[in-house]
Amino acid sequence: MPANPQGSSLLLHRISNNSTAAVTAAAGAVATDNSLMGCQKRSPLTCSTTPVPESVARFHTHPVGPNQCCSAVVQQIAAPVSTVWSVVRRFDNPQAYKHFVKSCHVIVGDGDVGTLREVHVISGLPAARSTERLEILDDERHVLSFSVVGGEHRLANYRSVTTLHSTPAGNGTVVVESYVVDVPPGNTKEETSLFADTIVRCNLQSLAQIAENLARRSNKPSS
């Protein structure tokens, strides 16, 4: 991916506990009931509290390089898959539930695989903008994947996969979001995972609130 301009403060901005604290403060208190899972190379995804079907787990099996880290977060949502998917699938509108995104503009494509978007993030993060490519958009299996291909940030070669499937009772949705990313120079895998996990968890908690509100409104009897 393109290098940061010489002298850029972003090049020297180390992901730190302060960065993670800023993310948490921006999003509000982060709940602790989501499941964080280590994601090993070519290993199936497992979760101690939420069963993940093999048909879903295969999308979260990432090849992980020696200087990369990989993790995943699970979020249960009290709303139908169709409702949650209507929010997630909007590659052109991540700010609908990702509160760290200040703005997003599609720069190439029309929403199909290969579409590029430029995302600008809020201040306080070790980033300014990110160019992202839509890799998978599967409306039948409810899978969305994107990769970061440029920009000014510390998360090089970031690739994310988000899947949705019904809860065992069939009245809710389980969202799984996994990622793989390079560990920035000067950081450890643990620091990088903690930072990225915090962002993903906050995003999914916001998604849960929005989707559940949509579901309640759709179920409300008309007067």
Side-chain angles (χ1 to χ4, degrees), residues 28-204:
V30 177
T32 59
D33 58 350
N34 286 335
S35 299
L36 283 177
M37 302 160 293
C39 188
Q40 303 299 322
K41 183 176 181 180
R42 303 302 181 191
S43 296
L45 182 71
T46 58
C47 174
S48 59
T49 59
T50 305
V52 178
E54 180 59 34
S55 59
V56 171
R58 66 187 181 88
F59 289 105
H60 300 282
T61 305
H62 299 278
V64 182
N67 194 44
Q68 292 185 313
C69 63
C70 182
S71 185
V73 178
V74 173
Q75 174 75 49
Q76 294 198 48
I77 301 178
V81 169
S82 59
T83 300
V84 182
W85 181 243
S86 70
V87 179
V88 171
R89 75 175 310 280
R90 289 289 304 276
F91 185 69
D92 62 325
N93 190 30
Q95 65 270 35
Y97 72 96
K98 296 182 178 183
H99 291 167
F100 305 111
V101 175
K102 183 165 59 177
S103 64
C104 173
H105 304 284
V106 172
I107 54 178
V108 176
D110 56 4
D112 295 330
V113 170
T115 294
L116 294 178
R117 68 185 180 190
E118 185 170 87
V119 171
H120 291 260
V121 302
I122 62 174
S123 60
L125 298 180
R129 62 180 178 84
S130 174
T131 304
E132 301 168 356
R133 182 183 189 274
L134 182 60
E135 304 289 353
I136 300 173
L137 182 64
D138 190 328
D139 287 312
E140 181 179 350
R141 295 181 177 86
H142 304 110
V143 182
L144 183 143
S145 174
F146 73 89
S147 59
V148 173
V149 297
E152 297 177 70
H153 52 79
R154 293 280 290 173
L155 299 179
N157 294 317
Y158 184 93
R159 181 179 174 115
S160 166
V161 178
T162 302
T163 60
L164 279 59
H165 64 277
S166 296
T167 57
N171 57 353
T173 301
V174 178
V175 182
V176 182
E177 183 168 349
S178 65
Y179 66 85
V180 60
V181 65
D182 290 359
V183 176
N187 284 104
T188 65
K189 291 184 178 182
E190 289 74 18
E191 289 171 334
T192 306
S193 291
L194 176 62
F195 177 75
D197 285 346
T198 302
I199 291 177
V200 172
R201 188 186 297 112
C202 290
N203 286 340
L204 294 187

